[in-house]
């Protein structure tokens, strides 16, 4: 698996604007898929490739502390075979760049499979966000997670 930073909107679109992905990462407040714009000033896009085809993206930005905040998406057709490999590969890439820092993320509570995946990949619960987003006109909570970016697991 090849991991690299990308800025090509058409490559990023293949993952973020995938129909199945966009419908679950958005909320009632999100723009239509065709109107969504990327923030290249504050975000970095770390892509995974298999045989030259993009399979997933980890979007991250650097916090004032030097820690990072991230979101990961893997195309549905690659999840079963490559989700763990992609997660491990981007974690290794990030450890090389951010050793000793932490990576944070949040996951809406209704994504129990994603929360389980995060725990299996080394995330720990930090807390809860009671009013995270609005879906179907209802306020929804999320779990807030962190992972230490160390070369050896603690």
């Amino acid at each position: 698996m090849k991991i690299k930073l990308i800025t090509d909107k058409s490559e990023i679109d293949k993952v973020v604007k995938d129909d199945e992905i966009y419908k679950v990462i958005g909320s009632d407040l999100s723009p239509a898929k065709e109107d969504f714009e990327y923030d290249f000033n504050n975000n970095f896009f770390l892509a995974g490739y298999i045989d030259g085809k993009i399979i997933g993206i980890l979007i991250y930005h650097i916090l004032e502390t030097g820690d990072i905040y991230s979101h990961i998406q893997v195309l549905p057709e690659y999840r079963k075979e490559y989700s763990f490999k992609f997660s491990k590969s981007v974690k290794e890439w990030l450890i090389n760049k951010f050793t000793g820092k932490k990576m944070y993320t949040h996951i809406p509570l209704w994504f129990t499979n994603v929360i389980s995946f995060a725990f299996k990949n080394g995330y720990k619960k930090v807390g809860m966000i009671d009013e995270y987003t609005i879906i179907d006109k209802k306020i929804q909570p999320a779990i807030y997670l962190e992972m230490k970016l160390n070369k050896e697991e603690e």
Side-chain angles (χ1 to χ4, degrees):
M1 176 170 302
K2 183 176 182 177
I3 302 295
K4 67 178 184 175
L5 282 171
I6 63 171
T7 56
D8 181 342
K9 282 179 65 172
S10 65
E11 280 294 281
I12 297 166
D13 282 351
K14 289 176 186 176
V15 177
V16 175
K17 292 185 178 181
D18 172 84
D19 288 337
E20 190 171 325
I21 290 175
Y22 198 79
K23 75 180 178 185
V24 297
I25 63 172
S27 72
D28 291 4
L29 308 174
S30 298
K33 182 170 63 170
E34 57 276 2
D35 296 329
F36 184 80
E37 293 291 328
Y38 303 107
D39 179 359
F40 289 104
N41 293 321
N42 297 301
N43 292 310
F44 298 90
F45 299 82
L46 193 56
Y49 289 86
I50 296 290
D51 298 327
K53 293 182 181 177
I54 193 165
I55 62 121
I57 287 185
L58 178 109
I59 303 168
Y60 73 91
H61 67 266
I62 302 169
L63 304 170
E64 290 180 14
T65 61
D67 295 324
I68 65 172
Y69 192 81
S70 69
H71 297 278
I72 192 169
Q73 292 95 24
V74 177
L75 288 167
E77 62 268 28
Y78 294 106
R79 287 178 185 159
K80 186 173 184 177
E81 188 172 356
Y82 293 110
S83 287
F84 280 105
K85 184 172 181 164
F86 177 60
S87 180
K88 182 180 179 191
S89 296
V90 295
K91 181 179 175 182
E92 289 170 0
W93 189 97
L94 291 165
I95 286 170
N96 287 329
K97 188 168 176 70
F98 299 100
T99 300
K101 297 297 183 181
K102 293 179 182 176
M103 179 165 57
Y104 295 94
T105 195
H106 60 269
I107 303 170
L109 290 184
W110 62 90
F111 290 129
T112 56
N113 59 328
V114 179
I115 293 168
S116 176
F117 179 82
F119 287 139
K120 288 176 185 173
N121 280 281
Y123 277 98
K124 306 280 187 240
K125 181 180 175 182
V126 175
M128 296 295 297
I129 305 169
D130 294 329
E131 296 181 4
Y132 166 67
T133 192
I134 300 172
I135 302 290
D136 296 329
K137 299 180 184 173
K138 295 178 186 168
I139 296 173
Q140 302 290 333
I143 188 170
Y144 194 58
L145 305 167
E146 74 175 15
M147 174 193 301
K148 293 179 182 177
L149 296 172
N150 294 324
K151 293 192 186 279
E152 296 178 20
E153 294 296 323
E154 295 183 16

